[in-house]
Amino acid sequence: MEDVEKLIYKYALLNAVKHKGSAQSGAVVGVIMGSHPDLREEGKRIVKLSSEIVDEVNSLGLQKQKEELQKLGVQEKAPKKQEKTGLSDLPNVGDQVVLRFAPNPSGPLHIGHARAAILNQEYVKRYDGKLILRVEDTDPRRVDPDAYQMIPEDLKWLGVEWQEEYIQSDRMEIYHKYARELIELGKAYMCTCPGDEFKKLKDHSKSCPCRDMALKDNLGLWNRMPDMDEGEAVLRVKTDLNHKNPAIRDWVAMRIVNAEHPRIGGKFRVYPMMNFAVAVDDHLLGITHVLRGKDHLANSEKQKYLYQHFGWTVPEFIHYGRLKMEDIALSTSKARKGIDEGEYAGWDDPRLGTIRAIARRGIMSEAIKNLMLEIGVKIADSTVSWKKIYGLNRKLLEEVANRYFAVLNPQEVVIEGLPEPLKGTVKRLKHPDFPDRGYRELPFDGTVYLDEKDIKDNQNKVLRLMDAINIYLGEEVTYHSSSLEEARKEKARIVHWVPASSNSSVELVMPDATRKNGFIELAANELKVDDLVQLERVGFARLDSYEYGKLTFYYAHK
Ligand SMILES: [Zn+2]
């Protein structure tokens, strides 16, 4: 047996033992091509040999296969250990875990939201719990009507599933009912002090005159609140005026807003503040664990007073560190401004850190999920960068993406002196590790498009056109030789190419929104929108649109 055959024999045995005695030729070829890139040029022969050897191995039966492996001194691989994630267990888990993801509808989700969504989802899976999607839209001025649709779309792309859905603007009567109840309990009061005067008192741990108003007067003011002007009065929750954090002292529960709500119009003028609506909902919806960033520590503290006043059980609050996004996410308000001013094409502009922009560029949701699980819920701050995301995505794309030749900045080259017999068809595996996926065929007649840069960088040198021939770039471009060995001897750079006579136009939208144009091999016409590919020597990309003879891709990364 020659070395290659021995190699195939070994991998065929391993594959057979792994699959109850029955090896798959495609899988064997895949492993060999992956671990021995030097054999890729012999793809055809390897495929043929593997098929023969796999038949032979499969005829041995499992017991004999194991003996053969032992003879070769090969150890079966132990099953992979489950990957460790940064996700520690939840504290105090009872009968059912109920979690919620609660975004503001101020725009679509961005990568920062993905963390909360994915972590909640993972815990729901771990504890067979329930996930609630709650859209928190009680600030009429910060509502983007499109967000009600974009948020569920983004979550679906992330693979997050929820069992119940609530929109807070549907629940206004509930907040009003509990606000009134809180007044009746003597735990909240209407405050008509100008904001700066209240602040002065509060900062000195002093109560304002409203705090000790009779219940009757308090309720009277509360009833009149919808007819008052914005800022004329607020409803305050009694906390501790000596609390070390002044922000927590008698915080505002309800306020007047003079603005139409994009969803419920002018039906209400008295709106709950975030902390009030959140605590009421978390209680009523039976939320057992609240995952939130540590920038919400003071909010958790505020909310605990409500639980105390109403006699409710406090859910477990779990705070995690900040996610610093180097070079990634622009704030939603800055992105919106850029869109309004025409600087960005929309929420999926490749320069933005929104989920839809990331998706459009060919980042897989699984890469985002892996990133968030890796970061987990630790209290220390974490940093993410594009580089980090690209690394995780590349791991996934390397398997998924089939390969094609596309030449951006193309320059036509006519090869002089090409021997007639070398004209014909070049066959190349769509993916060297997965021969089952088949071949692409590129007609080769001596006239090709090469990348301008490849030509410029290799003047007076030999250049190898992948899987075809070697050329010399002199004053004119001439045929040099055909074998890979020859190319190696000349230390020739190996470059991709596109037949000049047979191709489609290609446009590549870069992460900075600039566009590159060129030609792509004809086999790419079989692609469908959303397919992820590797443009050889260019990088990974996602097919964004397709019209006859023209393909537009969004570039992901190298
Ligand atoms: Zn007051």
Side-chain angles (χ1 to χ4, degrees):
M1 248 197 271
E2 61 167 317
D3 284 352
V4 176
E5 290 175 45
K6 276 187 204 151
L7 192 69
I8 297 171
Y9 188 62
K10 183 180 89 177
Y11 283 120
L13 284 170
L14 276 168
N15 191 255
V17 168
K18 196 168 137 198
H19 295 104
K20 297 178 182 148
S22 169
Q24 290 278 328
S25 180
V28 173
V29 176
V31 174
I32 290 170
M33 299 291 194
S35 52
H36 296 78
D38 51 310
L39 291 176
R40 285 179 190 171
E41 289 240 337
E42 293 183 71
K44 239 182 183 168
R45 192 166 77 92
I46 305 286
V47 169
K48 188 164 168 287
L49 276 174
S50 296
S51 155
E52 291 163 12
I53 294 171
V54 161
D55 283 347
E56 182 194 328
V57 163
N58 285 349
S59 71
L60 295 176
L62 187 56
Q63 198 45 47
K64 192 91 202 324
Q65 287 163 353
K66 284 185 177 170
E67 288 168 24
E68 283 291 291
L69 265 183
Q70 271 190 340
K71 263 194 245 166
L72 290 175
V74 179
Q75 294 277 323
E76 282 173 63
K77 251 190 223 160
K80 253 191 217 164
K81 266 194 214 150
Q82 214 188 330
E83 247 173 76
K84 211 176 160 277
T85 68
L87 224 51
S88 46
D89 284 338
L90 289 176
N92 295 321
V93 170
D95 289 342
Q96 200 195 12
V97 166
V98 183
L99 302 173
R100 86 305 201 266
F101 175 63
N104 297 123
S106 54
L109 299 184
H110 57 71
I111 184 156
H113 289 110
R115 183 186 199 188
I118 287 166
L119 293 179
N120 276 299
Q121 154 109 336
E122 284 304 304
Y123 279 126
V124 163
K125 271 199 258 168
R126 181 177 297 182
Y127 296 105
D128 193 20
K130 182 165 83 176
L131 182 62
I132 289 173
L133 168 62
R134 188 173 70 214
V135 181
E136 301 194 334
D137 60 345
T138 56
D139 183 350
R141 293 196 177 97
R142 288 185 54 212
V143 171
D144 172 358
D146 294 335
Y148 294 101
Q149 215 184 327
M150 292 193 283
I151 289 170
E153 283 169 4
D154 293 342
L155 285 175
K156 279 181 193 148
W157 182 82
L158 282 168
V160 172
E161 288 172 17
W162 58 100
Q163 286 70 47
E164 287 174 25
E165 190 172 328
Y166 299 91
I167 298 177
Q168 284 190 324
S169 56
D170 286 337
R171 300 168 62 78
M172 293 290 287
E173 269 105 356
I174 297 173
Y175 309 129
H176 280 249
K177 172 177 167 267
Y178 280 94
R180 187 187 178 90
E181 220 167 276
L182 204 59
I183 299 171
E184 287 167 346
L185 286 168
K187 301 295 184 187
Y189 59 95
M190 293 295 294
C191 173
T192 49
C193 302
D196 51 344
E197 269 175 42
F198 179 84
K199 187 177 181 301
K200 254 185 244 161
L201 291 167
K202 168 190 87 166
D203 286 348
H204 292 91
S205 295
K206 292 208 173 79
S207 65
C208 80
C210 321
R211 203 177 203 254
D212 298 318
M213 221 187 316
L215 175 60
K216 184 169 60 75
D217 299 331
N218 237 327
L219 282 174
L221 271 174
W222 166 250
N223 289 336
R224 289 211 320 273
M225 200 177 177
D227 304 318
M228 293 190 218
D229 247 348
E230 188 166 309
E232 217 179 305
V234 291
L235 180 71
R236 292 189 181 279
V237 179
K238 285 189 187 170
T239 65
D240 177 358
L241 288 173
N242 292 308
H243 196 287
K244 61 181 188 309
N245 180 356
I248 287 169
R249 298 173 193 164
D250 288 15
W251 52 273
V252 176
M254 304 288 283
R255 60 165 178 165
I256 302 156
V257 181
N258 270 344
E260 285 268 310
H261 191 289
R263 195 162 163 275
I264 54 171
K267 195 172 165 203
F268 293 92
R269 294 189 64 247
V270 178
Y271 281 90
M273 295 297 278
M274 183 270 282
N275 279 305
F276 188 75
V278 160
V280 167
D281 279 347
D282 282 347
H283 169 70
L284 293 179
L285 303 179
I287 306 296
T288 58
H289 296 76
V290 174
L291 273 68
R292 52 168 63 134
K294 69 180 179 195
D295 47 324
H296 282 287
L297 274 166
N299 288 327
S300 297
E301 196 71 19
K302 286 183 184 177
Q303 291 169 26
K304 278 182 191 162
Y305 280 95
L306 274 191
Y307 286 90
Q308 235 174 59
H309 294 336
F310 283 119
W312 297 338
T313 310
V314 185
E316 291 289 337
F317 294 126
I318 297 138
H319 298 94
Y320 48 71
R322 259 166 49 89
L323 193 57
K324 290 184 212 150
M325 287 172 285
E326 282 179 358
D327 68 9
I328 299 183
L330 210 58
S331 71
T332 298
S333 56
K334 275 187 195 153
R336 175 185 305 287
K337 190 165 172 274
I339 293 168
D340 290 343
E341 289 169 357
E343 187 191 342
Y344 302 123
W347 288 112
D348 56 2
D349 188 288
R351 289 165 286 186
L352 299 181
T354 59
I355 295 297
R356 45 198 60 219
I358 290 169
R360 194 168 191 191
R361 289 180 50 187
I363 307 294
M364 292 176 77
S365 60
E366 208 185 332
I368 303 297
K369 185 176 141 184
N370 292 345
L371 172 72
M372 296 311 173
L373 293 183
E374 197 181 302
I375 294 169
V377 286
K378 57 180 185 277
I379 193 82
D381 293 347
S382 315
T383 306
V384 296
S385 60
W386 280 122
K387 203 175 151 223
K388 173 96 191 151
I389 293 172
Y390 293 165
L392 289 165
N393 200 50
R394 190 177 300 114
K395 262 195 214 164
L396 300 167
L397 280 186
E398 264 165 4
E399 275 202 16
V400 172
N402 284 339
R403 303 182 185 182
Y404 297 91
F405 284 165
V407 173
L408 288 319
N409 313 313
Q411 191 171 320
E412 192 181 274
V413 166
V414 180
I415 301 157
E416 303 292 341
L418 178 69
E420 202 59 31
L422 290 179
K423 294 182 181 174
T425 304
V426 168
K427 280 179 85 180
R428 212 172 143 74
L429 284 170
K430 285 183 188 165
H431 196 300
D433 299 344
F434 301 95
D436 285 359
R437 296 184 192 169
Y439 289 88
R440 312 118 57 183
E441 295 188 354
L442 296 95
F444 179 66
D445 63 6
T447 305
V448 295
Y449 286 118
L450 297 182
D451 193 299
E452 234 172 48
K453 191 167 183 304
D454 284 332
I455 296 175
K456 224 171 98 193
D457 292 350
N458 292 284
Q459 280 304 306
N460 303 317
K461 286 181 192 162
V462 175
L463 198 62
R464 176 161 182 79
L465 310 188
M466 272 188 211
D467 282 353
I469 58 158
N470 310 320
I471 58 176
Y472 180 76
L473 294 174
E475 264 173 40
E476 53 181 20
V477 179
T478 52
Y479 170 74
H480 180 272
S481 51
S482 68
S483 72
L484 182 61
E485 288 68 38
E486 202 78 28
R488 285 203 181 116
K489 227 187 316 173
E490 298 286 342
K491 295 194 170 64
R493 176 152 288 239
I494 302 176
V495 302
H496 61 294
W497 51 278
V498 169
S501 59
S502 161
N503 56 59
S504 290
S505 296
V506 68
E507 185 168 51
L508 188 60
V509 181
M510 302 304 288
D512 63 0
T514 58
R515 288 162 186 262
K516 290 183 178 175
N517 287 281
F519 298 102
I520 188 164
E521 64 175 277
L522 222 43
N525 281 343
E526 71 191 356
L527 295 171
K528 289 186 223 46
V529 167
D530 281 338
D531 277 350
L532 301 165
V533 301
Q534 183 173 9
L535 303 175
E536 300 200 54
R537 295 185 69 237
V538 176
F540 293 97
R542 175 189 150 276
L543 184 61
D544 190 69
S545 69
Y546 174 88
E547 31 183 305
Y548 187 75
K550 170 147 186 205
L551 292 84
T552 302
F553 290 89
Y554 270 57
Y555 185 81
H557 47 77
K558 264 280 177 197

